[in-house]
Amino acid sequence: MDPYDSEPLTRIFLAQVGAPIAPPPGLREFPGPGEVFVSPRLHELLRTDPGLAQLLPGRERGLISAQGLAQPDELYAYVGARPEELKGGGHLSGFGRKEARFPTVEPSTLDILRFTLAGVVLLPLAVFLSVCARLSAASRMRRLAALRLLGLSRKGTQRVNAAETVAAAFLGAVLGLCAYWVVNQLVSRMGLPGFKWYPADGSLSGATLIICLVGCPALAWFVGRVGAKKAAANPLAVRRSAVEKPPRLWGLLPLVPGLGIVIGYCVVGATGNVPTDTSLSAILMPLAVVLVGAGLVLSLPILSRALARRVARATSSLSLGLAMRRNEVEPGGALRVAIGLVLLVYAASLTQGVLVELDQVSKNTSPVQLYTMALDDVPENKERALTKVPGVRSHAIQAQSWVDPDSETWKSIDAVIATCAQLRRMASVVENCVEGRPARLMIPGHTYDEDSKPGSGFPFHLRNSDGKRRVFTVEVPRQTIRYHDDTAAQMVGSGTVLIPPSALPAGFRPEDRATLALLSSSAPETVRSVLEGIAGVDPTVEVETDGVDAAALQQITVIKTLLAVGMVLGLIIGVAAYLVAATDRAVERRPQVTALALLGARPRTLRTVQVAQVVLPLAVGLVLAVVTGKMAESSYLVTGGGAVFWDGAGLPLLLASTLGVVVVAALGALPLIGRRIDPELIRRD
């Protein structure tokens, strides 16, 4: 598996020996020596990138069908070879596992994705369902209350409302499943950025269909009964528009422990005491996120009522006074309108934290790229060819001293075989290096290898091209070289011994755990060119690219795409919850608005009142969402083990989005005040 830009390129080299076996999935025949079968995407890339053919030696015989690929855009190839050309590997008796060898997204990463999407999609969805369950438009609630006053039992009233809700929910479930089928067929063929799948892989299972068709109406029955509870229990209060009970202070309880956990992690991150108990953090962090999210929902009515009372007492503005008095009397209305957008901003901040953490994974941020390969797999003539590949800046051989398996000490040292000139082309800091003289490499700030003591001798096993072996003893020198390279992880450790190539017997090289290291620029086009050049020398050699994990980079691309889809879904659901709640509130407020209009209030005043009623509690909730969301994001980054704890770069975007939410909410409240006054809305029944 090699990186091709940020995608993994998988090459399977096959040589058939003994009895014939069935071809791999997606192929009609087994590839013979010099024959290549490629995936459709790889077939297209071979036309635009001629150097890619060096990785796939042979003549293209055909394409791999969908049965042999995990996704339509997968870079995959089967290369036929002769047995003597292959190194390592194993003997296969057949193919046919249903799952891919390497999953597109690792299970541990999937857990992060599920957790994030639960916050981005399910939290706004829960608010949307709650808003729909508590629709209290005057006509609907008063009708249910009238049925109750006419003699219908309490349970009967709830059943009427639940039956209406179930019918709508079942129709919505059927329409939703049909819409999903259409969207899956279209999007799977067009693809999302960096992510495509086969339509069959996105089809729903029978269990999922049953859950949707049965679970949605069942949930609707429950929420429908709850939604009619007020009208069934106290119909006179509904008919006479009784004043709501003020919210209780217990709504602040979930916010306190949630913020306590979040603040604790922020403090330990700021003081440098990063928590190492990942099992405890895996429990506390999701718990804190849920508690803070629930605390935002439950504390907003309390804070909105307290703020409205203070502002109403202090203001001399008629519009602001009317708006605040309404929010003081009915803080639950502000909750229904604002909480969906508040949770959306809170979830967006958490999503930013996940993207920051993923961006630190398997990303080579150093200016150079290191390539390593087992020296045993590279003959001496190919070693010389590899060091001359265009783009290779320098090279060296890394080796370990021999350890007697029967010894009790197991002491050994690392060595790097290179000249001072090679070393200077590989490292940014090389001081006191004298050509032709061995020395110890000292890396500032790194732990020194205690076995590398001056004067100690360590044996190295060598072998030449004829198979002859020799033991070469290296005495740790007293001379030191101050050294530091720019690779993603230090190529050598502090205490490694530099051995000049001239010090080794002619024609002999280390064996057993020795590697050939090449160095180039980390520019993507240079990395691709070097890998293609290495394949031109030996296409079967296995190359490790330090700091670049193509599979992880692909995972990040897929996760970013799915998180973007989740954000879009969360935005749609949040806006839908806002529109439903705002419309319901407008219908609910029509008698009061009409009464104010008949008393002489101007339409401009009424619109100002309506905007203030929505914007003020929303602004309070959004400020809380931004503050708690950034704290929760920082806590998540602290527990994630990355190097970045504070995401200051994402704050302007979050603030701009928050301001946009306020503007949209204000504009959405304006049309809810009509120009026509209908006295019928306030007549007595």
Side-chain angles (χ1 to χ4, degrees):
M1 182 180 290
D2 302 302
Y4 185 83
D5 292 339
S6 60
E7 300 177 75
L9 167 60
T10 304
R11 299 175 294 151
I12 308 295
F13 288 86
L14 297 172
Q16 188 159 333
V17 294
I21 64 172
L27 300 187
R28 294 183 178 179
E29 56 182 312
F30 200 94
E35 296 178 349
V36 180
F37 289 87
V38 296
S39 62
R41 172 84 187 290
L42 198 52
H43 172 73
E44 296 175 2
L45 289 176
L46 283 169
R47 296 180 178 179
T48 58
D49 185 3
L52 190 59
Q54 297 184 85
L55 293 163
L56 307 167
R59 177 173 55 90
E60 185 179 327
R61 279 292 308 277
L63 301 180
I64 305 172
S65 66
Q67 287 76 14
L69 299 174
Q71 53 171 313
D73 279 350
E74 189 173 17
L75 301 181
Y76 210 87
Y78 289 102
V79 184
R82 291 185 293 273
E84 61 271 14
E85 295 176 339
L86 302 184
K87 307 175 184 68
H91 294 279
L92 302 179
S93 59
F95 299 88
R97 290 183 64 183
K98 292 183 178 180
E99 64 275 6
R101 182 182 178 188
F102 301 103
T104 303
V105 180
E106 294 290 340
S108 58
T109 312
L110 267 180
D111 293 337
I112 299 174
L113 181 63
R114 291 190 184 101
F115 170 70
T116 309
L117 287 180
V120 175
V121 179
L122 294 186
L123 278 179
L125 180 61
V127 172
F128 177 73
L129 293 177
S130 175
V131 167
C132 292
R134 298 190 60 185
L135 283 178
S136 56
S139 59
R140 186 165 183 257
M141 294 300 292
R142 290 166 70 87
R143 176 173 55 81
L144 293 173
L147 291 175
R148 179 78 176 95
L149 291 173
L150 287 174
L152 191 63
S153 67
R154 179 181 299 184
K155 291 185 178 180
T157 304
Q158 289 179 304
R159 289 194 188 104
V160 169
N161 191 46
E164 294 176 358
T165 310
V166 166
F170 182 77
L171 178 61
V174 173
L175 291 176
L177 291 173
C178 294
Y180 174 80
W181 184 87
V182 174
V183 170
N184 178 54
Q185 296 294 322
L186 293 177
V187 178
S188 62
R189 286 172 168 81
M190 294 185 298
L192 297 172
F195 184 37
K196 289 184 70 175
W197 65 94
Y198 291 107
D201 292 335
S203 61
L204 300 179
S205 63
T208 305
L209 293 174
I210 292 174
I211 290 174
C212 292
L213 293 176
V214 176
C216 290
L219 180 62
W221 174 266
F222 173 76
V223 297
R225 288 177 63 88
V226 173
K229 186 176 181 180
K230 181 179 179 181
N234 194 357
L236 288 177
V238 174
R239 299 294 293 179
R240 295 173 181 171
S241 302
V243 177
E244 289 187 0
K245 294 181 180 180
R248 303 293 180 87
L249 291 178
W250 63 264
L252 295 173
L253 289 180
L255 195 61
V256 175
L259 284 179
I261 297 173
V262 166
I263 293 173
Y265 277 124
C266 289
V267 170
V268 299
T271 56
N273 302 314
V274 181
T276 56
D277 189 354
T278 55
S279 59
L280 181 62
S281 299
I283 297 174
L284 289 180
M285 196 60 237
L287 179 63
V289 170
V290 173
L291 288 175
V292 171
L296 287 176
V297 175
L298 298 175
S299 63
L300 186 58
I302 302 172
L303 299 176
S304 175
R305 185 172 185 271
L307 180 65
R309 177 179 293 180
R310 287 179 176 272
V311 173
R313 290 175 178 175
T315 185
S316 58
S317 168
L318 173 64
S319 302
L320 191 58
L322 285 172
M324 294 303 100
R325 288 304 182 188
R326 170 52 56 181
N327 282 351
E328 179 186 354
V329 172
E330 190 194 2
L335 170 68
R336 297 199 304 273
V337 174
I339 198 60
L341 299 177
V342 169
L343 285 180
L344 186 63
V345 171
Y346 173 68
S349 184
L350 285 176
T351 305
Q352 244 178 1
V354 174
L355 293 176
V356 169
E357 183 188 14
L358 291 174
D359 203 39
Q360 302 177 71
V361 179
S362 302
K363 183 178 181 182
N364 187 9
T365 56
S366 66
V368 294
Q369 178 61 54
L370 180 65
Y371 315 82
T372 57
M373 58 209 79
L375 193 62
D376 289 341
D377 295 340
V378 182
E380 192 171 358
N381 59 333
K382 289 186 177 181
E383 177 192 342
R384 289 192 294 269
L386 289 172
T387 60
K388 297 178 181 178
V389 167
V392 172
R393 179 186 301 179
S394 186
H395 68 279
I397 293 177
Q398 298 170 298
Q400 279 186 315
S401 62
W402 178 77
V403 177
D404 185 358
D406 298 327
S407 173
E408 297 180 357
T409 57
W410 287 77
K411 290 185 177 181
S412 69
I413 60 168
D414 295 325
V416 57
I417 302 171
T419 63
C420 289
Q422 291 174 237
L423 210 61
R424 291 189 181 98
R425 289 195 296 268
M426 299 188 77
S428 57
V429 177
V430 179
E431 298 178 359
N432 305 323
C433 187
V434 179
E435 201 69 70
R437 290 180 58 183
R440 287 176 294 141
L441 302 181
M442 304 291 291
I443 304 176
H446 281 235
T447 304
Y448 183 81
D449 184 4
E450 295 180 355
D451 292 340
S452 183
K453 297 178 179 179
S456 302
F458 294 88
F460 283 78
H461 284 199
L462 309 179
R463 183 174 57 184
N464 65 5
S465 56
D466 297 330
K468 294 181 180 180
R469 288 179 167 83
R470 289 186 59 177
V471 177
F472 178 71
T473 301
V474 174
E475 183 178 323
V476 179
R478 297 189 178 276
Q479 183 182 357
T480 61
I481 296 175
R482 190 169 178 269
Y483 172 88
H484 189 277
D485 64 46
D486 299 318
T487 55
Q490 281 287 333
M491 187 181 71
V492 297
S494 187
T496 298
V497 176
L498 173 67
I499 302 176
S502 58
L504 297 179
F508 282 84
R509 301 189 307 167
E511 64 175 357
D512 297 335
R513 296 180 298 174
T515 58
L516 173 64
L518 307 178
L519 201 75
S520 76
S521 165
S522 62
E525 58 275 7
T526 304
V527 174
R528 187 197 307 172
S529 174
V530 170
L531 288 173
E532 291 172 352
I534 293 173
V537 176
D538 188 349
T540 63
V541 67
E542 189 170 353
V543 183
E544 294 288 339
T545 49
D546 179 60
V548 176
D549 188 342
L553 290 175
Q554 185 190 42
Q555 288 189 52
I556 293 172
T557 302
V558 172
I559 289 173
K560 285 182 177 180
T561 299
L562 293 179
L563 287 179
V565 173
M567 286 297 295
V568 172
L569 287 175
L571 178 63
I572 293 173
I573 295 170
V575 171
Y578 167 74
L579 292 176
V580 169
T583 304
D584 174 53
R585 182 178 171 83
V587 173
E588 196 176 51
R589 291 274 295 126
R590 281 189 306 180
Q592 290 86 358
V593 171
T594 304
L596 289 173
L598 289 176
L599 289 173
R602 297 178 181 180
R604 179 184 301 175
T605 302
L606 295 178
R607 290 191 179 93
T608 305
V609 170
Q610 184 70 17
V611 171
Q613 285 176 352
V614 174
V615 168
L616 189 64
L618 178 61
V620 173
L622 290 177
V623 170
L624 272 176
V626 171
V627 174
T628 58
K630 293 303 291 184
M631 292 171 61
E633 176 194 1
S634 299
S635 302
Y636 176 79
L637 292 175
V638 168
T639 59
V644 177
F645 290 170
W646 320 107
D647 174 31
L651 189 59
L653 178 62
L654 189 64
L655 293 177
S657 303
T658 304
L659 182 61
V661 167
V662 174
V663 172
V664 169
L667 294 177
L670 290 176
L672 300 180
I673 303 297
R675 294 183 178 182
R676 189 173 67 88
I677 299 175
D678 186 5
E680 182 70 14
L681 294 173
I682 59 171
R683 70 175 179 82
R684 292 185 178 273
D685 298 294

